[in-house]
Amino acid sequence: MAQTNMAAKSLLIVLLLGCAFFMAGLQHFVLTLPKPVPPTTASTTASTTATATDGIVVITGGQQRLADGFNLLQSGAGKALLVSGVGQGVSKTILADELKLNPRETALLTCCVTLEFQAGDTRENAVAAGKWAQENGFTSLQLVTANYHMPRAKAIFTRTLPDIALSYWPVSPNDLDLDVWWKTPPIIRLLAREYAKYLTEPIANLILTRIND
């Protein structure tokens, strides 16, 4: 009985320490997230703050990402735009309507934006981006995704596309207030889930590499 109690106490201590380390790491993760360009100035400052690349890749997950990616395309920060992971049934006509594009902007969307429907996760987004870059002879890409998703996306894209020069444009969702993130349970869950995925990404990559080998 004494040994059982000692084992239970030891396990409890390990769990508490694990939680403490996780929370400390989560706080650091949040504090070091890349800072996005303020939404009100994104369209007017894209040409001066974005790194010019051959192509722009938007990982779907919110209209703000697409809007920022399209602003970058308009500013000349890239020659073409790939929207990866688009839901079935979405078309350029629908996107033009959602973004409230004028005829000139709609023409740009029609000619220079590619919709990719197959990718279901970040790794598949990276593979799709690599194929698109190869088809177009692109050697540099700018990745547009949410700021909380950027650390993991950056790691995956860097590993998947070692021969592509990558730049990054983080987007902060309007409903993601990082100043008081610890007070909002949905935001805590979102950030904790993303941080856990970020921590386990090297292990997931190793497992997939072994499987593919």
Side-chain angles (χ1 to χ4, degrees):
M1 181 67 69
Q3 289 181 340
T4 301
N5 290 337
M6 182 64 70
K9 290 180 180 179
S10 298
L11 179 59
L12 178 60
I13 291 173
V14 170
L15 291 175
L16 290 175
L17 287 175
C19 289
F21 278 116
F22 182 85
M23 292 306 299
L26 175 60
Q27 183 177 18
H28 181 266
F29 175 78
V30 174
L31 290 175
T32 56
L33 287 177
K35 306 301 181 185
V37 175
T40 55
T41 61
S43 61
T44 58
T45 61
S47 60
T48 57
T49 60
T51 301
T53 56
D54 291 333
I56 302 163
V57 177
V58 173
I59 297 178
T60 55
Q63 186 172 327
Q64 286 176 252
R65 302 185 193 185
L66 180 58
D68 271 26
F70 192 73
N71 286 333
L72 289 169
L73 180 64
Q74 283 187 287
S75 73
K79 304 172 185 176
L81 169 65
L82 172 70
V83 186
S84 180
V86 177
Q88 297 297 326
V90 176
S91 66
K92 291 184 179 181
T93 300
I94 292 175
L95 293 181
D97 183 61
E98 289 181 351
L99 294 174
K100 297 179 174 57
L101 303 184
N102 60 38
R104 182 186 62 81
E105 293 167 336
T106 300
L108 179 64
L109 176 71
T110 300
C111 80
C112 302
V113 175
T114 299
L115 305 183
E116 188 277 318
F117 297 89
Q118 302 305 315
D121 56 35
T122 307
R123 187 170 282 100
E124 292 178 357
N125 292 138
V127 172
K131 292 179 179 178
W132 179 70
Q134 185 178 27
E135 291 170 356
N136 289 278
F138 293 164
T139 59
S140 60
L141 297 174
Q142 182 141 212
L143 176 62
V144 180
T145 190
N147 58 342
Y148 63 85
H149 181 227
M150 188 63 81
R152 183 164 61 95
K154 182 177 180 180
I156 293 173
F157 270 68
T158 300
R159 188 181 297 116
T160 306
L161 307 175
D163 299 324
I164 298 290
L166 296 170
S167 299
Y168 308 96
W169 187 272
V171 178
S172 180
N174 290 331
D175 56 354
L176 184 67
D177 188 352
L178 295 180
D179 291 333
V180 292
W181 66 273
W182 64 90
K183 297 180 180 180
T184 312
I187 295 180
I188 294 174
R189 289 194 293 270
L190 172 68
L191 295 174
R193 183 169 60 248
E194 185 58 38
Y195 178 56
K197 289 181 180 180
Y198 174 70
L199 290 179
T200 57
E201 169 52 33
I203 298 175
N205 179 71
L206 179 61
I207 293 173
L208 288 174
T209 300
R210 293 288 180 86
I211 293 175
N212 292 332
D213 288 343

